[in-house]
Amino acid sequence: MKVFVSFWLPEAPIAILRQKHTVVMNEEQRVLPQDELIAGLADADAMLCVGSRVDKTVLDAVGPKLKIIANWGVGYNNIDAEYAATKGIMVTNTPDVLTETTADLSWAILMAVARRVVEADKYVRAGDFVGFKPFAMLGADVWGKTIGIIGYGRIGQAVGRRAKGFGMRVLYHNRKPVADDPSGAEYTDIDSLLKESDFVSLYVPLSDETRHLIDAKRLALMKPSAFLVNISRGPVVDEQALVDALKAKTIAGAALDVFEKEPEVTKELLTMSNVVLTPHIGSGSWETRTNMAHVSVKNIIAALDGQTPPNLVNKPVGPRG
Ligand code: DGY
């Protein structure tokens, strides 16, 4: 059967696909525009989707054989999974495999903004380090502070576990309290979490409910000494409201791995020294990103073998193809 892979991926997982199926891969590291995507999907039985937007227009144009769209990524807001289900198309994602790596980056950017690592690096490279100054380039303590985690699923909990090592108080907000959480985190409502936390960190999926979850009103609840960390999806934060809060110094700084209009970044953020910016690299280690491809491949092989893939996220109506 034909598997269309929308973006270059490492050979190891793709070789497994090739053992049973014909693989047509976009060999470039370039997200395909809609017309190329539709052309690639015309006679495909499966799609391995890397970063492409698969909306109603694309789904209406795909060929009749398409059974599965295996998203490379845990977040699948790029795919209209509900509409795909009405056409009998399965949609899968890649949970678990990226949890710890994403939690690591979350801490990396949190610490970078708190301890001014990026600024300090620039300072040394610029030749400004001409002698030890005990009261220069001072940052905020992380250890012993309070972290507020919004979205306490797999990644949020992995962040919470790490916070224990820093002797921190962990607050979290989630749709439901989590049973048996080893971090000893305290469940609270969002507004109390925002008021009490020194670091507010976001791990919610993007949905109508979470778009602009952090808006001007909620930013205003944060302490002037607090930092915001976003490694979930850009539109969860109203980016202009964040810029306004940073300018007005009603919060101390922000660390962002995702952006509201990615890959565009609100220009003012680029000039702010109390902001750390990374290009959507939460799960970005070679091992993890390759393992994500392995998970997508497993989902495709299962679906094309007539089985329910392990990471199905929608409820397709009836069989297809
Ligand atoms: C994910 O897994 O959702 C990452 O953001 C990569 O898309």
Side-chain angles (χ1 to χ4, degrees), residues 118-298:
V118 177
E119 263 184 278
D121 176 89
K122 282 191 188 140
Y123 178 85
V124 175
R125 287 172 201 267
D128 292 336
F129 183 38
V130 289
F132 174 59
K133 290 186 191 156
F135 290 91
M137 209 48 83
L138 301 184
D141 271 330
V142 173
W143 71 274
K145 296 283 183 73
T146 298
I147 183 168
I149 299 175
I150 300 180
Y152 210 57
R154 299 176 188 88
I155 301 173
Q157 288 176 47
V159 170
R161 284 197 297 277
R162 284 159 175 74
K164 240 182 122 180
F166 289 97
M168 295 174 86
R169 179 181 179 213
V170 182
L171 301 178
Y172 76 95
H173 180 75
N174 204 41
R175 257 183 268 167
K176 283 192 278 180
V178 172
D180 304 325
D181 167 46
S183 73
E186 303 160 44
Y187 179 77
T188 182
D189 62 278
I190 293 196
D191 290 358
S192 309
L193 178 150
L194 290 164
K195 284 181 200 159
E196 289 180 42
S197 299
D198 301 296
F199 299 93
V200 173
S201 209
L202 310 173
Y203 306 94
V204 290
L206 179 62
S207 65
D208 291 342
E209 207 185 316
T210 61
R211 192 174 296 275
H212 283 194
L213 181 74
I214 303 299
D215 57 7
K217 254 184 163 165
R218 289 213 160 110
L219 285 163
L221 297 176
M222 289 174 65
K223 299 181 191 179
S225 55
F227 296 86
L228 180 73
V229 179
N230 189 12
I231 196 165
S232 61
R233 284 293 184 262
V236 171
V237 175
D238 178 340
E239 205 163 285
Q240 190 53 52
L242 173 63
V243 167
D244 295 343
L246 288 163
K247 274 170 131 175
K249 299 193 185 335
T250 59
I251 68 168
L256 308 172
D257 184 51
V258 288
F259 304 92
E260 188 164 0
K261 295 188 183 127
E262 217 167 294
E264 243 177 73
V265 179
T266 302
K267 287 218 164 40
E268 285 145 298
L269 289 172
L270 303 174
T271 65
M272 293 176 170
S273 57
N274 56 342
V275 173
V276 167
L277 308 168
T278 50
H280 202 140
I281 54 169
S283 56
S285 70
W286 175 263
E287 299 97 304
T288 292
R289 290 213 158 155
T290 304
N291 286 337
M292 288 162 68
H294 277 289
V295 173
S296 303
V297 164
K298 272 193 195 140

Side-chain angles (χ1 to χ4, degrees), residues 59 67-69 76 79-93 308-309 311-317:
L59 287 164
K67 290 179 191 59
I68 174 169
I69 301 171
Y76 53 93
I79 300 171
D80 191 335
E82 256 178 55
Y83 191 62
T86 66
K87 293 178 168 284
I89 300 172
M90 293 178 261
V91 176
T92 59
N93 69 344
T308 301
N311 307 113
L312 186 67
V313 295
N314 67 348
K315 293 196 176 92
V317 292

Side-chain angles (χ1 to χ4, degrees), residues 17 25 31 41 49 51 64 75 77-78 105 125 134 144 154 165 192 211-212 242 245 261 304 310:
L17 261 186
M25 180 159 76
V31 175
L41 288 170
C49 177
N77 52 291
N78 53 316
L105 188 86
R125 287 172 201 267
R154 299 176 188 88
S192 309
R211 192 174 296 275
H212 283 194
L242 173 63
K261 295 188 183 127
L304 295 185

